[in-house]
Amino acid sequence: AQKITQTQPGMFVQEKEAVTLDCTYDTSDPSYGLFWYKQPSSGEMIFLIYQGSYDQQNATEGRYSLNFQKARKSANLVISASQLGDSAMYFCAMREGNAGNMLTFGGGTRLMVKP
Amino acid sequence: DTGVSQDPRHKITKRGQNVTFRCDPISEHNRLYWYRQTLGQGPEFLTYFQNEAQLEKSRLLSDRFSAERPKGSFSTLEIQRTEQGDSAMYLCASRQTTGELFFGEGSRLTVL
């Protein structure tokens, strides 16, 4: 079974509007961390936001927020006030407590911001 | 530049040749990771070092692949007898004991 599932291969959003990128995960480990990375065409993976499985509140970092619904095993990324520079691939990833230190990534969502 | 650096950024080689990639992590980071990313996919974990010790290896890391981090600083990833299926972006990342993972810009390999 896929550990990280991103069901949206591509998304369009109008500049200045908000957009939600979906991510669901599968783990039996009670301790895990969820991450979102942005990958522009240059190839570098840029860390955006982190949510720990025991965190009581949803993580926020500037225009990024993570809608963490533990019972549904979802960790959707919300980008508010989209900018043209937000156009990129976005990857959801998970680090499980008993899996050493590796991150498992989803297949990604390509976000395209329209002017 | 104090980020993770990788060299070369692009490599084109013929099938059967050997290639080597180098990664210089952020200097105070003791943990170093290699990932492989094929077109349209998310990165897949290959291997992980803590200081000079290679602590985890993925099943993806066949016997043609070898990674080293001899002095606990930079790392090399060598692919012997390359195959067309090895064509991918090879990403290096580093972090401290806790904290986020910082990635380099990757080394893109094309095997003809």
Side-chain angles (χ1 to χ4, degrees):
Chain A
Q2 292 279 348
K3 284 187 175 281
I4 297 287
T5 302
Q6 296 180 252
T7 58
Q8 306 152 312
M11 290 276 289
F12 282 97
V13 64
Q14 197 69 41
E15 192 179 8
K16 301 181 185 177
E17 293 188 349
V19 63
T20 298
L21 306 184
D22 294 342
C23 173
T24 57
Y25 60 92
D26 182 30
T27 181
S28 58
D29 196 317
S31 176
Y32 54 90
L34 297 158
F35 301 76
W36 277 92
Y37 282 84
K38 172 184 178 181
Q39 187 177 42
S41 55
S42 61
E44 183 180 1
M45 299 285 284
I46 302 168
F47 167 76
L48 296 178
I49 196 167
Y50 166 80
Q51 180 87 43
S53 59
Y54 296 117
D55 293 344
Q56 295 297 314
Q57 300 207 348
N58 287 345
T60 61
E61 289 284 349
R63 294 187 298 112
Y64 304 108
S65 60
L66 201 151
N67 184 3
F68 181 45
Q69 298 187 46
K70 196 170 183 177
R72 296 181 59 187
K73 294 189 175 180
S74 75
N76 298 340
L77 177 70
V78 180
I79 305 175
S80 62
S82 298
Q83 301 172 356
L84 295 178
D86 294 335
S87 295
M89 285 291 292
Y90 288 81
F91 291 96
C92 180
M94 177 172 65
R95 178 187 296 145
E96 294 171 282
N98 67 350
N101 293 270
M102 69 178 189
L103 288 181
T104 302
F105 285 83
T109 296
R110 180 172 296 282
L111 178 66
M112 291 152 281
V113 181
K114 297 186 290 185
Chain B
D1 188 344
T2 57
V4 179
S5 64
Q6 295 188 241
D7 182 70
R9 293 291 312 281
H10 303 276
K11 179 72 176 179
I12 300 174
T13 191
K14 292 183 179 178
R15 190 176 52 186
Q17 298 293 305
N18 299 345
V19 296
T20 299
F21 301 113
R22 175 180 169 122
C23 171
D24 287 89
I26 294 172
S27 59
E28 62 268 25
H29 287 185
N30 61 346
R31 300 187 177 194
L32 186 147
Y33 304 77
W34 285 99
Y35 283 81
R36 181 174 72 184
Q37 185 178 23
T38 52
L39 206 58
Q41 303 295 318
E44 298 171 294
F45 170 78
L46 290 179
T47 190
Y48 148 65
F49 290 85
Q50 182 167 313
N51 299 312
E52 66 275 9
Q54 188 173 20
L55 297 186
E56 283 188 54
K57 291 199 304 186
S58 163
R59 288 171 298 173
L60 294 174
L61 214 66
S62 76
D63 56 4
R64 295 185 298 105
F65 288 69
S66 62
E68 294 182 344
R69 195 183 183 197
K71 296 180 181 178
S73 56
F74 74 92
S75 176
T76 58
L77 176 69
E78 182 183 17
I79 309 174
Q80 295 182 325
R81 305 181 303 281
T82 51
E83 302 173 355
Q84 288 184 324
D86 297 332
S87 295
M89 176 80 87
Y90 291 85
L91 293 164
C92 178
S94 71
R95 70 180 183 108
Q96 294 175 318
T97 304
T98 59
E100 71 193 69
L101 202 56
F102 291 85
F103 282 84
E105 292 186 319
S107 293
R108 182 172 295 283
L109 173 65
T110 301
V111 181
L112 301 176

